[in-house]
Amino acid sequence: GLMTQKYDSLDSSMQNKDTLIQFERALVSVNPISLLRNKLNINEFEFRNPKIFAGIDQNGSFNWDILKEQVDQESDSKEKPQDSASALVTAIQLKNIRVIDGQVIFDDRYAKNFMVLNGFDIDLDAAYSEEEILLDLYLQSDQTSFHKGRKVYTEKLLVEIDTDLHVDRKTKNIEIQKATVGLADLYFQLLGNVKPKKEQQLLDVDLRFSLEVPNLQSLINILPEDLIDKKADYIAKGVVNIDGQIQGEYGKDKFPDLKTDMLIKEGSLYYQKKGQGIDLLESDVSFYLPSSANETSTFNLKKLNLKGVGTDLQLTGSGRNLFDDPDLSLDFKGYLDLKTFQESVPLKKDIDMQ
């Protein structure tokens, strides 16, 4: 085994463009006998209190590359002798790779995205060969914040990911064979593929997800702050089923399209300090959030039933521009006390319902 302390893997400045990781303490355990079989077995690798900086500059260049281009061995051997280390080790086995109480900063100045993960823990097993990389990964962060430009999408959000990944080293395709993603108290099942497009400096994303543990309160807690007043003192109950797809390219000024179908059953929503709210909330709705800022976000409301606070409504309809001056077109039966309704649900004050 090997222990190191107070080590900076690249330089002494955490957020210089080249720095990937700093840590207070590291423990490494290697099996030297495996080298006799042209393999490297690492039985334990532990980082305590690391600071990890993943940076992408304005030109799209990043400070990490775990999927380095493979050089054609036949043509390369004609030009220069084979590297002795690559000739010696043909496979790498990693077990008990741990990060304990770390911080991760993802600063993408190319696409203008910024993410911070505090209280960051990882457990990882991996197998690395000439053809593929297999990863069994669990990670969690006590507090995750995500900003795009000046807009805040999440703040202090609990995140968990438990997944198996298969990476094809030739095509660079990353297959997510199974994954459970936890956001606060919500847990999603996730499957699909992510493939880097190095020349275009993009990621091609094709993911499908479904909600594993439905709960209306937890769903409201992770909605964007532009839509919901997170400081409001409210209680939400009900069952939620969500299925969706994330598809498209991620890169500079690009996000994948998000398509979501959501079904809410036996829901209710109350302002605690006012003692009033929605007695019944049931809905069947589809959302489309486009990748481009030039496209329009939309929703298709197949059904929405509301009862409470002077309201007994059955609605259908559609909407556009969901997060910037919403434009709603609704057909309804029943009656609505609009003023009381707005005072009784925790919508942002600048959302004008007419």
Side-chain angles (χ1 to χ4, degrees):
L2 173 65
M3 183 182 296
T4 65
Q5 291 183 328
K6 297 293 184 181
Y7 177 69
D8 178 351
S9 62
L10 291 175
D11 61 42
S12 59
S13 177
M14 172 56 196
Q15 293 191 26
N16 281 357
K17 294 180 180 179
D18 292 333
T19 299
L20 183 61
I21 184 169
Q22 291 176 324
F23 48 89
E24 294 181 359
R25 181 177 181 271
L27 176 66
V28 184
S29 176
V30 179
N31 179 4
I33 303 300
S34 63
L35 295 173
L36 300 178
R37 302 188 298 271
N38 293 339
K39 296 180 180 180
L40 176 60
N41 290 348
I42 298 178
N43 299 322
E44 185 176 14
F45 205 145
E46 180 180 286
F47 292 108
R48 287 188 178 271
N49 308 116
K51 294 182 178 180
I52 302 169
F53 179 70
I56 304 176
D57 66 19
Q58 293 88 338
N59 299 317
S61 299
F62 46 83
N63 67 336
W64 79 93
D65 189 358
I66 64 170
L67 302 178
K68 292 185 178 180
E69 295 290 339
Q70 294 188 60
V71 179
D72 183 70
Q73 294 183 356
E74 182 177 349
S75 60
D76 187 58
S77 62
K78 297 177 182 178
E79 298 176 5
K80 59 183 180 180
Q82 189 175 17
D83 181 82
S84 59
S86 62
L88 177 63
V89 178
T90 60
I92 300 175
Q93 190 81 27
L94 306 176
K95 294 182 178 180
N96 301 317
I97 310 302
R98 295 188 297 273
V99 172
I100 299 174
D101 196 20
Q103 181 189 58
V104 177
I105 298 174
F106 175 65
D107 187 3
D108 183 353
R109 300 185 182 184
Y110 185 72
K112 298 180 181 179
N113 299 316
F114 185 77
M115 180 182 294
V116 178
L117 298 89
N118 291 312
F120 181 72
D121 300 321
I122 284 182
D123 284 303
L124 171 68
D125 291 335
Y128 184 100
S129 69
E130 294 180 357
E131 295 81 21
E132 63 184 5
I133 303 172
L134 302 178
L135 301 175
D136 183 0
L137 171 68
Y138 172 80
L139 67 84
Q140 73 94 26
S141 170
D142 295 336
Q143 295 184 349
T144 299
S145 302
F146 177 70
H147 301 190
K148 183 171 180 63
R150 296 179 180 270
K151 183 169 290 188
V152 177
Y153 283 88
T154 62
E155 196 74 36
K156 298 181 179 180
L157 181 67
L158 174 65
V159 174
E160 293 181 74
I161 298 177
D162 189 357
T163 183
D164 289 339
L165 303 177
H166 172 225
V167 183
D168 188 312
R169 295 191 62 205
K170 183 177 180 180
T171 65
K172 306 300 184 289
N173 183 69
I174 303 171
E175 180 185 359
I176 302 175
Q177 298 178 333
K178 71 165 188 175
T180 300
V181 179
L183 303 175
D185 295 326
L186 289 179
Y187 288 87
F188 292 85
Q189 291 294 325
L190 185 68
L191 297 170
N193 295 273
V194 177
K195 185 176 181 179
K197 294 182 175 180
K198 191 169 184 179
E199 292 183 2
Q200 298 95 331
Q201 297 178 326
L202 296 170
L203 286 177
D204 192 8
V205 178
D206 186 2
L207 301 172
R208 298 167 303 283
F209 63 88
S210 61
L211 186 65
E212 185 181 55
V213 182
N215 183 286
L216 182 57
Q217 177 77 59
S218 299
L219 175 64
I220 291 176
N221 288 343
I222 68 169
L223 289 177
E225 294 187 4
D226 289 347
L227 185 62
I228 293 293
D229 182 3
K230 297 297 184 70
K231 297 180 181 180
D233 186 18
Y234 62 89
I235 296 177
K237 296 181 181 180
V239 176
V240 182
N241 295 319
I242 296 179
D243 294 288
Q245 186 174 23
I246 303 170
Q247 190 173 43
E249 294 178 333
Y250 168 79
K252 185 176 183 180
D253 299 325
K254 283 194 172 184
F255 261 118
D257 295 341
L258 173 63
K259 298 177 181 179
T260 304
D261 297 319
M262 181 172 64
L263 185 66
I264 301 176
K265 300 177 181 179
E266 300 176 353
S268 62
L269 179 64
Y270 287 94
Y271 253 136
Q272 293 193 85
K273 63 181 180 181
K274 296 183 179 181
Q276 61 184 11
I278 304 300
D279 298 318
L280 176 65
L281 170 59
E282 294 186 327
S283 178
D284 186 356
V285 60
S286 299
F287 293 92
Y288 170 63
L289 305 180
S291 56
S292 172
N294 297 323
E295 297 183 47
T296 301
S297 57
T298 63
F299 80 89
N300 179 29
L301 181 62
K302 301 174 185 177
K303 177 184 74 172
L304 175 62
N305 296 333
L306 288 172
K307 290 184 179 181
V309 290
T311 299
D312 188 350
L313 280 178
Q314 297 82 47
L315 293 94
T316 60
S318 60
R320 299 163 56 87
N321 302 320
L322 302 184
F323 304 111
D324 183 15
D325 190 20
D327 179 14
L328 308 180
S329 176
L330 301 174
D331 296 322
F332 62 90
K333 296 179 181 179
Y335 53 88
L336 169 65
D337 184 338
L338 187 58
K339 181 179 179 181
T340 303
F341 180 83
Q342 285 188 280
E343 292 176 349
S344 302
V345 295
L347 295 174
K348 278 289 190 179
K349 300 303 182 185
D350 56 357
I351 294 180
D352 186 19
M353 299 182 65
Q354 299 181 0

